[in-house]
Short mmCIF file of all heavy atoms in Angstrom, two decimals:
data_model
loop_
_atom_site.label_atom_id
_atom_site.label_comp_id
_atom_site.label_asym_id
_atom_site.label_seq_id
_atom_site.Cartn_x
_atom_site.Cartn_y
_atom_site.Cartn_z
N TYR A 20 -19.37 8.67 14.68
CA TYR A 20 -20.54 7.92 14.71
C TYR A 20 -20.85 7.49 16.13
O TYR A 20 -22.01 7.56 16.60
CB TYR A 20 -20.40 6.61 13.84
CG TYR A 20 -21.55 5.74 14.01
CD1 TYR A 20 -22.83 5.96 13.51
CD2 TYR A 20 -21.41 4.52 14.79
CE1 TYR A 20 -23.94 5.13 13.78
CE2 TYR A 20 -22.48 3.69 14.98
CZ TYR A 20 -23.73 3.96 14.48
OH TYR A 20 -24.76 3.18 14.67
N THR A 23 -22.31 10.50 18.01
CA THR A 23 -23.48 11.21 17.45
C THR A 23 -24.60 10.23 17.06
O THR A 23 -25.65 10.67 16.83
CB THR A 23 -23.10 12.05 16.23
OG1 THR A 23 -22.70 11.20 15.20
CG2 THR A 23 -22.09 13.10 16.57
N ASP A 24 -24.25 8.99 16.76
CA ASP A 24 -25.16 8.03 16.27
C ASP A 24 -25.71 8.39 14.88
O ASP A 24 -26.69 7.95 14.43
CB ASP A 24 -26.33 7.76 17.24
CG ASP A 24 -26.90 6.32 17.12
OD1 ASP A 24 -26.21 5.45 16.70
OD2 ASP A 24 -28.14 6.20 17.48
N ASN A 25 -24.94 9.26 14.20
CA ASN A 25 -25.31 9.68 12.87
C ASN A 25 -24.84 8.63 11.86
O ASN A 25 -23.67 8.44 11.68
CB ASN A 25 -24.67 11.04 12.51
CG ASN A 25 -25.09 11.59 11.21
OD1 ASN A 25 -25.38 10.89 10.23
ND2 ASN A 25 -25.05 12.94 11.09
N PRO A 26 -25.81 7.96 11.13
CA PRO A 26 -25.36 6.92 10.23
C PRO A 26 -24.51 7.33 9.10
O PRO A 26 -23.88 6.50 8.48
CB PRO A 26 -26.76 6.30 9.76
CG PRO A 26 -27.70 7.44 10.08
CD PRO A 26 -27.18 8.21 11.20
N GLN A 27 -24.45 8.62 8.74
CA GLN A 27 -23.61 9.09 7.66
C GLN A 27 -22.17 8.85 8.01
O GLN A 27 -21.41 8.50 7.02
CB GLN A 27 -23.85 10.58 7.38
CG GLN A 27 -25.20 10.86 6.74
CD GLN A 27 -25.35 12.32 6.47
OE1 GLN A 27 -25.02 13.20 7.38
NE2 GLN A 27 -25.88 12.69 5.34
N TYR A 28 -21.81 8.97 9.24
CA TYR A 28 -20.38 8.75 9.61
C TYR A 28 -20.04 7.19 9.50
O TYR A 28 -18.95 6.90 8.92
CB TYR A 28 -20.13 9.21 11.04
CG TYR A 28 -20.25 10.67 11.22
CD1 TYR A 28 -21.09 11.17 12.16
CD2 TYR A 28 -19.60 11.58 10.44
CE1 TYR A 28 -21.26 12.61 12.32
CE2 TYR A 28 -19.67 12.92 10.59
CZ TYR A 28 -20.55 13.47 11.55
OH TYR A 28 -20.70 14.80 11.72
N ALA A 29 -20.95 6.42 9.97
CA ALA A 29 -20.71 4.96 9.88
C ALA A 29 -20.70 4.52 8.39
O ALA A 29 -19.87 3.71 8.01
CB ALA A 29 -21.78 4.19 10.61
N SER A 30 -21.54 5.16 7.60
CA SER A 30 -21.68 4.74 6.15
C SER A 30 -20.32 5.04 5.47
O SER A 30 -19.83 4.20 4.71
CB SER A 30 -22.77 5.51 5.48
OG SER A 30 -22.83 5.32 4.13
N LYS A 31 -19.71 6.17 5.69
CA LYS A 31 -18.44 6.51 5.06
C LYS A 31 -17.33 5.66 5.53
O LYS A 31 -16.51 5.20 4.82
CB LYS A 31 -18.11 8.04 5.21
CG LYS A 31 -16.88 8.42 4.42
CD LYS A 31 -17.14 8.25 2.95
CE LYS A 31 -15.96 8.75 2.12
NZ LYS A 31 -16.17 8.58 0.69
N ALA A 32 -17.29 5.36 6.87
CA ALA A 32 -16.30 4.48 7.45
C ALA A 32 -16.37 3.08 6.80
O ALA A 32 -15.43 2.50 6.40
CB ALA A 32 -16.47 4.39 8.97
N VAL A 33 -17.65 2.56 6.65
CA VAL A 33 -17.87 1.25 6.09
C VAL A 33 -17.39 1.25 4.60
O VAL A 33 -16.81 0.25 4.15
CB VAL A 33 -19.35 0.78 6.19
CG1 VAL A 33 -19.59 -0.42 5.39
CG2 VAL A 33 -19.71 0.58 7.69
N SER A 87 -23.60 -0.57 14.25
CA SER A 87 -24.35 0.13 13.18
C SER A 87 -24.98 -0.89 12.31
O SER A 87 -24.40 -1.92 11.94
CB SER A 87 -23.42 1.01 12.38
OG SER A 87 -23.97 1.38 11.22
N PRO A 88 -26.21 -0.66 11.83
CA PRO A 88 -26.79 -1.65 10.87
C PRO A 88 -26.06 -1.65 9.58
O PRO A 88 -26.17 -2.57 8.73
CB PRO A 88 -28.19 -1.10 10.63
CG PRO A 88 -28.31 0.24 11.33
CD PRO A 88 -27.11 0.34 12.24
N LEU A 89 -25.11 -0.68 9.33
CA LEU A 89 -24.35 -0.63 8.14
C LEU A 89 -23.16 -1.58 8.12
O LEU A 89 -22.62 -1.86 7.09
CB LEU A 89 -23.92 0.82 7.89
CG LEU A 89 -25.09 1.82 7.71
CD1 LEU A 89 -24.56 3.18 7.78
CD2 LEU A 89 -25.77 1.58 6.39
#
Side-chain angles (χ1 to χ4, degrees):
Y20 172 73
T23 67
D24 208 26
N25 183 333
Q27 289 180 318
Y28 296 125
S30 176
K31 187 62 178 179
V33 170
S87 164
L89 299 165

